[in-house]
Amino acid sequence: FPAFTLNKGVCAIFPFNLMIGSSRLKYATAQPLAIMQANGKTHYFFYAHEGISPEYLFENKKARKVVPGLKSSFTIKGADGVETIITTLTREQALRFNKWNDYFCITDATLLQNEANVSLQARSNVFTCILPAAAKPDFGKYKPTVRKQGRFAEYTIEVPAVQVEFEVKEISKQRYTFNLKKSAFTENLSDIILDINYVGDNAVAFIDGRMVNDHLYYGNSWQIGLKQYIDEIDRKGMYF
C-alpha cells in the first residue's frame, strides 16, 4: 500500500487483493461504493476520501492515479478478455448516489421509488440528476438542460419557483402564532417546511391547545413538515 494520511474523524475501507472479474486489484486508495451492470458490462464505483489521492494497482499492471469525478472512468480488461469499468466519485457525489434494481442516479434531490416509477423531490426549484449517458429519462413537461460528463449525462431541471405566503406574530418573547392557508400547497409542492431558528432548551408547537410537535435544542434549527397539519392550520393556526 502507498502511504497516505487519514484525516481526523474519517473512517476508510480500502480494498486489497480484490478480484474484479478475472483481474486482481492489488490495492486501491479509494473506497468501494457499488457494482452495477449496464450494456453487458460490469461497472464498479469507488469514491475518494478528502486528502487521499485515488490510486489503483492491478496485478501485472502499472499503478494508475485518477482525479475523482464523473470523468475519472477507465476500463480494465481481464485475462478472459472481459472489460470492466471503474469510476471514482468524489465523496459528495457518493453521498448523492442512489441505486435501485439495475439503475443508479446521482442527485442532490431526494429519490423516491414507486414500483417502476421514480420521482425526485428537492427543497430548491433547481436540482441536478446524473445518469448513464445512454439513459433516456422522461421528466414529463419539464425540459432539462443536459451536459455530457464522460460516460454520464448531467441533467439540470428547473421547476417554477413558489412564493409561500404565511403570517407570523410575536405575542411575547416566548410565544408566537403561525398561520398558513391550505391554498399555499400548489401543484409543485409536496410539502412546506417550517424552519425555526431558536436558542433554548426546547420548543413546543400547539394547535387548538393540543401539542402536535416538539423539539429538543441541539444547535440546529427546528424543521416541521406542515402538510400533515395543514387542514387544522388553515382553520385554527399553530402557536409556539
Side-chain angles (χ1 to χ4, degrees), residues 168-228:
V168 175
K169 288 184 179 180
E170 182 180 357
I171 307 303
S172 67
K173 290 297 182 182
Q174 293 183 317
R175 185 179 174 89
Y176 296 82
T177 61
F178 173 83
N179 288 280
L180 177 73
K181 293 299 182 183
K182 189 174 182 178
S183 57
F185 278 86
T186 58
E187 177 189 2
N188 293 322
L189 291 179
S190 60
D191 205 344
I192 296 174
I193 308 299
L194 178 61
D195 190 286
I196 304 173
N197 188 13
Y198 77 100
V199 176
D201 292 330
N202 67 290
V204 184
F206 293 89
I207 296 177
D208 196 28
R210 176 174 58 90
M211 187 183 77
V212 295
N213 207 304
D214 65 346
H215 183 263
L216 295 176
Y217 181 75
Y218 64 100
N220 292 339
S221 61
W222 179 18
Q223 297 185 340
I224 306 173
L226 298 179
K227 183 177 181 179
Q228 58 189 318

Side-chain angles (χ1 to χ4, degrees), residues 13-42:
I13 299 174
F14 291 156
F16 62 94
N17 286 334
L18 174 67
M19 294 304 298
I20 294 182
S22 61
S23 300
R24 183 182 297 276
L25 178 62
K26 300 292 288 184
Y27 69 76
T29 55
Q31 183 151 329
L33 177 65
I35 305 173
M36 306 295 304
Q37 300 289 334
N39 299 322
K41 290 187 177 181
T42 304

Side-chain angles (χ1 to χ4, degrees), residues 8-77:
K8 181 180 178 180
V10 175
C11 178
I13 299 174
F14 291 156
F16 62 94
N17 286 334
L18 174 67
M19 294 304 298
I20 294 182
S22 61
S23 300
R24 183 182 297 276
L25 178 62
K26 300 292 288 184
Y27 69 76
T29 55
Q31 183 151 329
L33 177 65
I35 305 173
M36 306 295 304
Q37 300 289 334
N39 299 322
K41 290 187 177 181
T42 304
H43 196 151
Y44 278 71
F45 287 89
F46 293 75
Y47 72 91
H49 285 283
E50 185 176 352
I52 302 177
S53 177
E55 180 178 314
Y56 299 84
L57 177 63
F58 284 89
E59 195 169 49
N60 300 321
K61 304 284 185 181
K62 292 183 179 179
R64 182 166 191 159
K65 291 185 177 182
V66 300
V67 177
L70 299 177
K71 296 182 178 180
S72 67
S73 301
F74 65 91
T75 59
I76 183 75
K77 182 179 288 188

